[in-house]
Amino acid sequence: MDYQAILNVIEKELESFEDEGKVADYIPELAFVPSDKFGMHLHCIDGGDYSFGDSEEKFSIQSISKVFSLALAKKYGSKIWKRVDVEPSGDPFNSLTQLEKEKGIPRNPFINAGALVIADILVSCLDNPKKDLLDFVRLIAQDDDIHYDEKVASSEKKHGYRNIALVNYMKALGNINNDVDDILDFYFYQCSISMSCHQLAKAFMIFANEGRIMGTEEKAIKSNSTKRINAIMQTCGFYDEAGEFSFRVGLPGKSGVGGGIVAIHPHQYAVAVWSPLLNEKGNSEKGMRALEELTTLTGLSIF
């Protein structure tokens, strides 16, 4: 498969793409990101790298980080699925309504409430959650040049009222064990991780390679955990637009309001795309279109 030729076609086809979305300005620091950024990187199981555009520029990965924290929780935590469900939400990612109906048990670990429970689990079982999460991401990406964006983390802390409400409500219902300030500090930093499409594609290869790190074949997470996480990405990775992504693209993946999307084809590749303009559901419309073109042109999806 000539992936570079296919990516070149995608770049050309989307040059005139009319994107009517908007940058996620409810986190003020993200509003400064130029809206015309566009990059894509595919890392293949045989070690090949293929890319175009702004694929080496770092951006705030936001909710993509929830996949990393879940993988770490599966590695060190216990009784996760008694505290977080695995069902699609059908509601916005920061909904409070669903928590009230379901007695403080979030629908899945990729909505904000679910990710806050995962953060609570990691605060309980790790000595230094922020350092340990960053070390884990650097390990699976085989790249030490991955950092937290302090400005984004600060911006999230100043404006994260909905997340503060979510974690306090779950605390009141008995599904949060630690101090809410410690959980929120870790969660806001988690979302502020800054990575490029290249780095994201390499890091996500563990989900395409049965939990093994590309290059070293070190087992970062169990194969069974990879299976579970891929399944949740397929059904819950795009807020309440997971069905649309599955229909159009046909790969497990995860989006973030920083405009990034990462998807994997098991035993084939991991691919990341970045375009900051978001549709009404909080996903990069241009990024979704690029990945739809990828699976159309290759003729390969998981279906």
Side-chain angles (χ1 to χ4, degrees), residues 43 138-143 202 206 209 211-220:
H43 187 74
R138 288 170 172 173
L139 172 68
I140 62 176
Q142 293 288 278
D143 190 339
K202 286 190 69 178
I206 67 162
N209 194 36
R212 295 188 298 270
I213 298 170
M214 289 296 296
T216 68
E217 292 302 303
E218 177 186 345
K219 197 79 167 177

Side-chain angles (χ1 to χ4, degrees), residues 2 6 38 43 83 89 135 144 159 173 218:
D2 191 344
I6 290 169
F38 185 40
H43 187 74
R83 298 180 58 189
S89 68
D135 286 346
D144 288 336
H159 301 275
L173 292 173
E218 177 186 345

Side-chain angles (χ1 to χ4, degrees), residues 45-118:
I45 196 80
D46 65 6
D49 285 294
Y50 313 95
S51 63
F52 67 72
D54 301 306
S55 64
E56 298 291 343
E57 185 168 339
K58 295 180 181 180
F59 59 92
S60 179
I61 68 170
Q62 292 293 312
S63 284
I64 294 171
S65 68
K66 294 171 182 175
V67 185
F68 297 140
S69 61
L70 177 59
L72 204 58
K74 283 290 291 174
K75 186 170 183 171
Y76 294 110
S78 63
K79 299 180 180 179
I80 292 171
W81 307 125
K82 290 186 177 182
R83 298 180 58 189
V84 187
D85 210 337
V86 294
E87 296 294 335
S89 68
D91 283 332
F93 58 87
N94 57 2
S95 172
L96 278 159
T97 307
Q98 210 161 58
L99 275 180
E100 184 173 8
K101 290 179 182 177
E102 297 173 4
K103 300 178 181 178
I105 305 297
R107 275 288 181 95
N108 65 71
F110 293 157
I111 57 174
N112 287 20
L116 285 162
V117 172
I118 297 298

